[in-house]
Amino acid sequence: MTAKQTIEAGKAILGIEFGSTRIKAVLIDQENKPIAQGSHEWENQLVDGLWTYGIDRIWYGLQDCYADLRKNVLAEYDCEIEQLAAIGISAMMHGYMAFGKDEKILVPFRTWRNTNTGEAAGKLSNLFNYNIPLRWSISHLYQCILNGDEHVKEITYLTTLAGYIHWRLTGEKVLGIGDASGMIPVDPETKNYNAEMVEKFNQLIAPKGYDWKLEDILPKCLVAGQEAGTLTAHGAERLDISGHLKPGCPLCPPEGDAGTGMTATNAVKQRTGNVSAGTSSFSMIVLEHDLSKPNEMIDMVTTPDGSLVAMVHCNNCTSDINAWVKLFKEYQELLGLPIDMNEIYGKLYNHALTGNADCGGVISYNYISGEPVAGLSDGRPIVLREHNSKFNLANFMRANLYATVAVLKLGNDVLFKEENVKVDRITGHGGLFKTPGVGQRVLAAALNSPISVMETAGEGGAWGIALLAGYLINNHRNLSLADYLEEIVFAGNTGVEIAPTAEDVAGFNAYIENYKAELKVEHAAIS
């Protein structure tokens, strides 16, 4: 079928992902190729000291994103989207969305970016003997309990952003296991929430006398390929306000952006990994076995089909370097020169590679918000240099590029050097890799590992969740998710690989030693 015929026949598959700065929709054909897309730009808000997105903004963003997709389809193919073969919903992982008996949210959505849960995360990590990150739903819930928040006794449902959207479109309170593993740990054997930890939590809060138990308020945990509901008439109306979209198509289990990133980079098989680098960054390494001990830098989550994954999650990645690039854009505007953002990024990024491998003594801390891996509760962006540093444009830009993956390196050094984790392939995707070769080379130096980038790297998580929706309806050979991706979607394509050079690795190692030594400046700035 042509793309137009695919859409008109109702054979197209839709993937939607709620990222930190953009909601993106991707429509794919039966060969898993993108044929249309839409987007909506948005920003989180700091309200009463907490990062949030309002419910109205969530729905307006979804509807505007879908309308933009519909506009793209009309312009390219002169047809309407009347029916879809399947839909997948994805969103930034974790956070806190608590609902009461009237199905209304009890407190504003608290995103992954919040770092107010330190006390709860620490106590739960000790209770479970398992690293419980600040951003996980169970940390938010227990912090609310510790704070004595009144709304806790009214909770009837607790979910993530992806789970919330899916619930409203289908009526089903379910969640993909990858996203679920960031609510409270899951058991890779049972493919469900860790029963021992759930019971320990129930016992911990029993004196409070709430009329709910944890298992009663969590969404049902599903793995990739399981049925997760169908689009209701109400859901179709909420998604497509033009009224053209018909209900009835199936939805795959909703997933977090980590799971869709693994899917989009063919990194769900053991000994593979991926790095997603955008507003935030995270690396995902699929393990052959559990780690020897808990580590606060390493989050244990799962692939969409339930395999154990070591995740290093960093709150900050490209936001600060984007701000610097915009500064250069303003200077170009002052000179009256034509503005092409791709050209500005390309020239600055490539010029950075001409700088000293160790950035000449220039250090950048890109902390717009707190950074748990670095032990920072708040963010203070800082560029730091000594009086005799080699301060020029190339070193300045290189230091800012290094900063985007510096915290990732801190966490992955634990995996590769202390835990001796083995990985055969790491694939990068996200905004850092849009300028060909540059982000790839920087990440290769940081991790001292070859990094692959595929042509589809720019499609990101919306494409990844569309692939998971396709896996739900098109897995006619009953393949595992790893085999389905390898044989059907990617057909052996591993992308373009860049290996690290000895000079770059040595330079990054020198930079990171300076970086770690001067973190005290960042702590001082915060205090």
Side-chain angles (χ1 to χ4, degrees):
M1 288 185 177
T2 65
K4 179 181 173 72
Q5 289 170 332
T6 299
I7 295 168
E8 289 181 329
K11 299 293 186 183
I13 297 170
L14 174 63
I16 298 176
E17 180 158 278
F18 288 73
S20 302
T21 58
R22 183 172 63 151
I23 305 170
K24 184 176 181 181
V26 170
L27 206 61
I28 65 172
D29 63 16
Q30 292 169 292
E31 295 180 345
N32 302 299
K33 295 176 181 175
I35 54 176
Q37 64 179 21
S39 66
H40 171 82
E41 305 290 329
W42 70 342
E43 289 286 348
N44 51 197
Q45 297 171 300
L46 191 62
V47 178
D48 296 329
L50 295 171
W51 294 104
T52 187
Y53 300 85
I55 290 291
D56 291 343
R57 294 181 70 235
I58 290 171
W59 285 105
Y60 174 75
L62 175 65
Q63 291 162 356
D64 188 58
C65 176
Y66 185 86
D68 193 47
L69 171 74
R70 179 172 164 262
K71 180 180 176 182
N72 181 226
V73 168
L74 282 167
E76 291 290 325
Y77 309 113
D78 191 29
C79 63
E80 285 283 0
I81 306 171
E82 301 283 352
Q83 199 159 2
L84 291 164
I87 299 174
I89 300 295
S90 173
M92 49 194 133
M93 294 179 75
H94 319 139
Y96 185 74
M97 297 193 84
F99 298 87
K101 291 180 180 178
D102 58 0
E103 298 189 342
K104 291 183 179 179
I105 197 162
L106 295 170
V107 292
F109 168 39
R110 299 174 183 180
T111 78
W112 57 270
R113 201 169 196 173
N114 290 292
T115 55
N116 64 309
T117 56
E119 182 185 2
K123 289 183 175 180
L124 291 175
S125 295
N126 291 331
L127 178 68
F128 298 152
N129 191 31
Y130 200 94
N131 180 41
I132 304 298
L134 302 181
R135 68 186 183 282
W136 281 17
S137 303
I138 196 70
S139 295
H140 284 280
L141 174 61
Y142 190 46
Q143 191 64 54
C144 290
I145 292 171
L146 291 174
N147 293 346
D149 290 358
E150 282 295 312
H151 78 270
V152 175
K153 65 178 181 293
E154 301 175 34
I155 296 175
T156 60
Y157 186 43
L158 182 66
T159 189
T160 66
L161 179 56
Y164 166 65
I165 298 296
H166 182 96
W167 171 38
R168 291 309 198 202
L169 295 182
T170 66
E172 299 292 336
K173 295 181 177 180
V174 300
L175 197 59
I177 191 170
D179 208 6
S181 66
M183 297 198 76
I184 188 170
V186 300
D187 184 340
E189 295 299 320
T190 64
K191 310 296 185 191
N192 204 347
Y193 301 107
N194 186 296
E196 181 182 349
M197 295 184 192
V198 169
E199 182 55 31
K200 282 184 176 180
F201 185 82
N202 285 334
Q203 291 176 7
L204 176 68
I205 66 169
K208 298 290 184 180
Y210 301 129
D211 62 2
W212 53 260
K213 289 189 174 182
L214 186 59
E215 61 268 29
D216 299 329
I217 63 172
L218 292 176
K220 183 180 179 182
C221 188
L222 300 177
V223 298
Q226 285 188 288
E227 295 182 2
T230 57
L231 183 67
T232 63
H234 180 65
E237 290 172 0
R238 297 201 76 173
L239 180 59
D240 178 16
I241 57 175
S242 75
H244 284 276
L245 182 62
K246 294 181 175 61
C249 73
L251 275 76
C252 68
E255 267 297 351
D257 49 3
T260 59
M262 286 186 282
T263 303
T265 53
N266 191 19
V268 301
K269 189 174 290 186
Q270 290 181 356
R271 292 176 65 110
T272 64
N274 84 297
V275 169
S276 174
T279 305
S280 62
S281 68
F282 48 81
S283 63
M284 312 286 290
I285 307 297
V286 189
L287 301 175
E288 296 176 279
H289 50 75
D290 205 346
L291 301 182
S292 64
K293 58 183 182 296
N295 189 294
E296 62 183 10
M297 291 187 182
I298 313 298
D299 306 347
M300 303 304 293
V301 292
T302 77
T303 62
D305 58 349
S307 294
L308 200 61
V309 175
M311 178 184 194
V312 178
H313 183 282
C314 311
N315 283 1
N316 302 277
C317 185
T318 60
S319 293
D320 192 45
I321 196 170
N322 288 344
W324 284 112
V325 171
K326 288 177 183 176
L327 202 69
F328 289 110
K329 170 180 174 282
E330 286 186 39
Y331 175 67
Q332 198 162 337
E333 288 172 336
L334 280 176
L335 296 179
L337 299 174
I339 303 298
D340 183 327
M341 288 306 292
N342 289 329
E343 183 181 17
I344 295 174
Y345 272 102
K347 286 191 179 297
L348 288 172
Y349 276 31
N350 280 290
H351 186 60
L353 298 183
T354 68
N356 296 97
D358 64 354
C359 304
V362 182
I363 305 171
S364 172
Y365 297 107
N366 64 341
Y367 305 141
I368 301 291
S369 63
E371 191 56 81
V373 174
L376 298 166
S377 61
D378 204 352
R380 296 291 186 276
I382 294 174
V383 174
L384 183 67
R385 60 190 174 102
E386 294 190 16
H387 66 280
N388 61 348
S389 61
K390 298 174 183 176
F391 188 61
N392 54 43
L393 181 60
N395 283 337
F396 173 77
M397 287 306 301
R398 190 163 185 144
N400 278 284
L401 279 169
Y402 278 17
T404 63
V405 296
V407 181
L408 266 184
K409 177 175 175 59
L410 297 179
N412 278 279
D413 278 353
V414 172
L415 289 177
F416 299 139
K417 294 179 180 180
E418 297 181 21
E419 292 284 349
N420 295 312
V421 168
K422 305 298 181 187
V423 61
D424 298 324
R425 184 182 75 241
I426 298 177
T427 306
H429 74 120
L432 183 63
F433 305 105
K434 284 185 178 179
T435 301
V438 179
Q440 214 174 337
R441 180 173 159 185
V442 168
L443 183 62
L447 301 186
N448 192 17
S449 171
I451 303 296
S452 296
V453 171
M454 300 181 184
E455 289 181 6
T456 52
E459 301 298 341
W463 184 58
I465 192 65
L467 295 181
L468 289 173
Y471 179 65
L472 172 68
I473 63 170
N474 291 329
N475 185 25
H476 306 304
R477 290 161 52 192
N478 293 318
L479 298 172
S480 68
L481 178 60
D483 287 342
Y484 177 83
L485 294 174
E486 186 72 36
E487 297 177 23
I488 306 298
V489 177
F490 293 94
N493 176 26
T494 57
V496 177
E497 183 179 274
I498 289 181
T501 67
E503 180 185 7
D504 283 353
V505 171
F508 205 109
N509 284 339
Y511 174 89
I512 206 68
E513 290 307 312
N514 289 336
Y515 185 97
K516 290 189 289 187
E518 301 305 331
L519 267 173
K520 57 183 179 286
V521 175
E522 187 73 26
H523 285 278
I526 292 169
S527 64

